[in-house]
Short mmCIF file of all heavy atoms in Angstrom, two decimals:
data_model
loop_
_atom_site.label_atom_id
_atom_site.label_comp_id
_atom_site.label_asym_id
_atom_site.label_seq_id
_atom_site.Cartn_x
_atom_site.Cartn_y
_atom_site.Cartn_z
N THR A 3 2.24 5.25 0.35
CA THR A 3 2.24 6.14 1.45
C THR A 3 0.97 7.03 1.49
O THR A 3 0.39 7.26 2.50
CB THR A 3 3.47 7.06 1.38
OG1 THR A 3 4.62 6.26 1.39
CG2 THR A 3 3.51 8.06 2.54
N VAL A 29 -26.29 16.83 17.07
CA VAL A 29 -25.39 17.69 16.39
C VAL A 29 -26.05 18.44 15.30
O VAL A 29 -26.68 17.85 14.42
CB VAL A 29 -24.17 16.92 15.89
CG1 VAL A 29 -23.23 17.91 15.12
CG2 VAL A 29 -23.32 16.25 17.01
N LYS A 43 -20.26 13.27 6.64
CA LYS A 43 -19.31 12.63 5.77
C LYS A 43 -19.03 11.23 6.09
O LYS A 43 -18.90 10.38 5.21
CB LYS A 43 -17.96 13.46 5.91
CG LYS A 43 -16.80 12.99 5.03
CD LYS A 43 -15.65 13.82 5.20
CE LYS A 43 -14.45 13.36 4.40
NZ LYS A 43 -13.21 14.13 4.64
N ARG A 45 -21.12 9.18 7.92
CA ARG A 45 -22.38 8.64 8.49
C ARG A 45 -22.49 7.09 8.28
O ARG A 45 -23.04 6.46 9.20
CB ARG A 45 -23.66 9.32 7.95
CG ARG A 45 -23.90 9.22 6.53
CD ARG A 45 -25.10 10.04 6.08
NE ARG A 45 -25.45 10.01 4.72
CZ ARG A 45 -24.90 10.78 3.71
NH1 ARG A 45 -24.03 11.65 4.04
NH2 ARG A 45 -25.25 10.64 2.48
N ASP A 53 -24.40 0.87 15.95
CA ASP A 53 -25.23 -0.38 15.96
C ASP A 53 -24.58 -1.59 16.44
O ASP A 53 -25.10 -2.38 17.33
CB ASP A 53 -25.88 -0.59 14.60
CG ASP A 53 -26.81 -1.82 14.60
OD1 ASP A 53 -27.85 -1.77 15.21
OD2 ASP A 53 -26.43 -2.83 13.98
N PRO A 64 -29.12 15.04 6.34
CA PRO A 64 -28.30 16.09 5.77
C PRO A 64 -29.09 17.26 5.34
O PRO A 64 -28.59 18.44 5.42
CB PRO A 64 -27.72 15.34 4.49
CG PRO A 64 -27.79 13.90 4.88
CD PRO A 64 -29.00 13.73 5.68
N SER A 76 -31.06 0.61 29.62
CA SER A 76 -32.12 -0.11 30.37
C SER A 76 -32.11 0.18 31.81
O SER A 76 -33.07 -0.16 32.60
CB SER A 76 -31.95 -1.68 30.18
OG SER A 76 -30.67 -2.06 30.52
N ALA A 107 -45.67 17.74 22.60
CA ALA A 107 -46.83 17.12 21.99
C ALA A 107 -47.62 18.17 21.17
O ALA A 107 -48.10 17.93 20.12
CB ALA A 107 -47.65 16.47 23.08
N ALA A 136 -53.09 21.17 36.64
CA ALA A 136 -53.46 22.25 35.65
C ALA A 136 -52.31 23.22 35.51
O ALA A 136 -51.55 23.57 36.43
CB ALA A 136 -54.71 23.04 36.26
N VAL A 140 -51.01 32.44 34.76
CA VAL A 140 -51.14 33.68 35.49
C VAL A 140 -50.19 33.78 36.67
O VAL A 140 -49.87 34.81 37.25
CB VAL A 140 -52.64 33.93 36.02
CG1 VAL A 140 -53.57 34.07 34.88
CG2 VAL A 140 -53.00 32.77 36.91
N VAL A 149 -41.19 28.63 30.54
CA VAL A 149 -40.17 29.25 29.82
C VAL A 149 -38.93 28.27 29.78
O VAL A 149 -38.26 28.14 28.74
CB VAL A 149 -39.75 30.61 30.41
CG1 VAL A 149 -38.34 31.05 29.95
CG2 VAL A 149 -40.82 31.66 30.03
N LEU A 155 -36.27 23.49 24.33
CA LEU A 155 -36.66 23.09 22.97
C LEU A 155 -35.96 23.99 21.91
O LEU A 155 -35.57 23.56 20.87
CB LEU A 155 -38.22 23.22 22.76
CG LEU A 155 -38.92 22.03 23.53
CD1 LEU A 155 -40.42 22.39 23.65
CD2 LEU A 155 -38.70 20.71 22.93
N LYS A 178 -45.33 38.81 23.23
CA LYS A 178 -45.55 38.36 21.86
C LYS A 178 -44.18 37.81 21.37
O LYS A 178 -43.20 38.46 21.19
CB LYS A 178 -45.86 39.58 20.96
CG LYS A 178 -47.12 40.44 21.40
CD LYS A 178 -48.34 39.50 21.54
CE LYS A 178 -49.57 40.30 22.02
NZ LYS A 178 -50.77 39.44 22.10
N ILE A 189 -39.94 15.29 17.13
CA ILE A 189 -40.07 13.76 17.19
C ILE A 189 -38.81 13.10 17.51
O ILE A 189 -38.76 12.17 18.34
CB ILE A 189 -40.70 13.24 15.88
CG1 ILE A 189 -42.14 13.88 15.65
CG2 ILE A 189 -40.71 11.73 15.90
CD1 ILE A 189 -42.70 13.44 14.34
N SER A 225 -32.50 -16.21 23.23
CA SER A 225 -31.63 -17.23 22.82
C SER A 225 -30.20 -16.93 23.36
O SER A 225 -29.93 -15.78 23.88
CB SER A 225 -31.52 -17.22 21.32
OG SER A 225 -30.99 -15.99 20.75
N LEU A 242 -19.15 3.80 27.79
CA LEU A 242 -19.25 4.99 26.99
C LEU A 242 -19.91 6.08 27.78
O LEU A 242 -19.57 7.32 27.62
CB LEU A 242 -19.91 4.79 25.64
CG LEU A 242 -19.14 3.86 24.68
CD1 LEU A 242 -19.98 3.69 23.50
CD2 LEU A 242 -17.79 4.48 24.30
N ASP A 250 -17.77 -4.75 40.41
CA ASP A 250 -18.80 -5.08 41.34
C ASP A 250 -20.19 -4.65 40.97
O ASP A 250 -21.22 -5.17 41.53
CB ASP A 250 -18.39 -4.58 42.79
CG ASP A 250 -17.24 -5.22 43.40
OD1 ASP A 250 -16.84 -6.26 42.89
OD2 ASP A 250 -16.62 -4.68 44.33
N LEU A 252 -21.31 -4.63 37.80
CA LEU A 252 -21.73 -5.37 36.62
C LEU A 252 -22.67 -6.50 36.91
O LEU A 252 -22.71 -6.99 38.06
CB LEU A 252 -20.56 -5.88 35.88
CG LEU A 252 -19.48 -4.90 35.35
CD1 LEU A 252 -18.34 -5.70 34.71
CD2 LEU A 252 -20.08 -3.93 34.33
N TYR A 259 -19.03 -11.57 30.20
CA TYR A 259 -18.61 -11.10 28.86
C TYR A 259 -17.28 -10.40 28.89
O TYR A 259 -16.46 -10.60 28.05
CB TYR A 259 -19.74 -10.25 28.29
CG TYR A 259 -19.47 -9.88 26.81
CD1 TYR A 259 -19.84 -10.74 25.75
CD2 TYR A 259 -18.88 -8.65 26.46
CE1 TYR A 259 -19.58 -10.43 24.45
CE2 TYR A 259 -18.60 -8.39 25.15
CZ TYR A 259 -18.93 -9.25 24.16
OH TYR A 259 -18.71 -8.94 22.85
N ASP A 298 -19.55 15.75 28.42
CA ASP A 298 -20.29 17.01 28.53
C ASP A 298 -19.96 17.61 29.92
O ASP A 298 -20.44 18.67 30.19
CB ASP A 298 -21.79 16.90 28.41
CG ASP A 298 -22.32 15.87 29.31
OD1 ASP A 298 -21.62 15.18 30.03
OD2 ASP A 298 -23.63 15.78 29.45
N LYS A 309 -16.98 21.73 42.14
CA LYS A 309 -15.99 20.84 41.62
C LYS A 309 -14.63 21.12 42.26
O LYS A 309 -13.83 20.19 42.52
CB LYS A 309 -15.87 20.98 40.12
CG LYS A 309 -17.00 20.33 39.37
CD LYS A 309 -16.81 20.40 37.87
CE LYS A 309 -17.95 19.69 37.16
NZ LYS A 309 -17.76 19.74 35.65
N LEU A 318 -9.01 14.27 51.19
CA LEU A 318 -9.34 13.84 52.60
C LEU A 318 -9.91 12.46 52.55
O LEU A 318 -9.49 11.56 53.48
CB LEU A 318 -10.35 14.80 53.23
CG LEU A 318 -10.99 14.39 54.48
CD1 LEU A 318 -10.01 14.38 55.64
CD2 LEU A 318 -12.17 15.31 54.90
N VAL A 325 -15.23 8.84 56.01
CA VAL A 325 -15.51 9.83 57.00
C VAL A 325 -17.00 10.13 57.10
O VAL A 325 -17.78 9.73 56.20
CB VAL A 325 -14.69 11.16 56.69
CG1 VAL A 325 -13.26 10.92 56.56
CG2 VAL A 325 -15.27 11.75 55.34
N ALA A 327 -20.50 12.40 57.10
CA ALA A 327 -20.98 13.55 56.31
C ALA A 327 -20.71 14.85 57.10
O ALA A 327 -20.47 15.90 56.52
CB ALA A 327 -22.39 13.34 55.98
N ARG A 329 -18.21 15.53 58.92
CA ARG A 329 -16.84 15.96 58.74
C ARG A 329 -16.62 16.70 57.43
O ARG A 329 -15.90 17.61 57.42
CB ARG A 329 -15.90 14.64 58.76
CG ARG A 329 -14.47 14.90 58.42
CD ARG A 329 -13.73 15.59 59.56
NE ARG A 329 -12.35 15.86 59.14
CZ ARG A 329 -11.36 14.99 59.18
NH1 ARG A 329 -11.59 13.74 59.52
NH2 ARG A 329 -10.14 15.43 58.81
N PRO A 342 -12.77 33.92 52.25
CA PRO A 342 -14.03 34.55 52.29
C PRO A 342 -14.52 35.29 51.03
O PRO A 342 -15.66 35.56 50.91
CB PRO A 342 -13.74 35.64 53.45
CG PRO A 342 -12.31 35.79 53.45
CD PRO A 342 -11.71 34.51 53.07
N ASP A 360 -23.06 19.63 47.59
CA ASP A 360 -22.92 19.79 46.11
C ASP A 360 -21.60 19.15 45.68
O ASP A 360 -21.50 18.53 44.57
CB ASP A 360 -22.89 21.28 45.79
CG ASP A 360 -24.25 21.91 45.82
OD1 ASP A 360 -25.21 21.21 46.01
OD2 ASP A 360 -24.31 23.22 45.87
N VAL A 389 -2.87 13.11 46.15
CA VAL A 389 -1.76 14.09 46.23
C VAL A 389 -0.48 13.38 46.57
O VAL A 389 -0.42 12.66 47.61
CB VAL A 389 -2.12 15.24 47.20
CG1 VAL A 389 -0.87 16.25 47.23
CG2 VAL A 389 -3.29 16.00 46.71
#
Side-chain angles (χ1 to χ4, degrees):
T3 301
V29 176
K43 180 180 178 182
R45 63 182 180 274
D53 180 68
S76 55
V140 294
V149 164
L155 290 167
K178 307 299 181 184
I189 295 172
S225 67
L242 294 175
D250 291 344
L252 297 177
Y259 186 83
D298 58 351
K309 288 186 177 180
L318 171 67
V325 301
R329 175 75 184 280
D360 290 346
V389 176

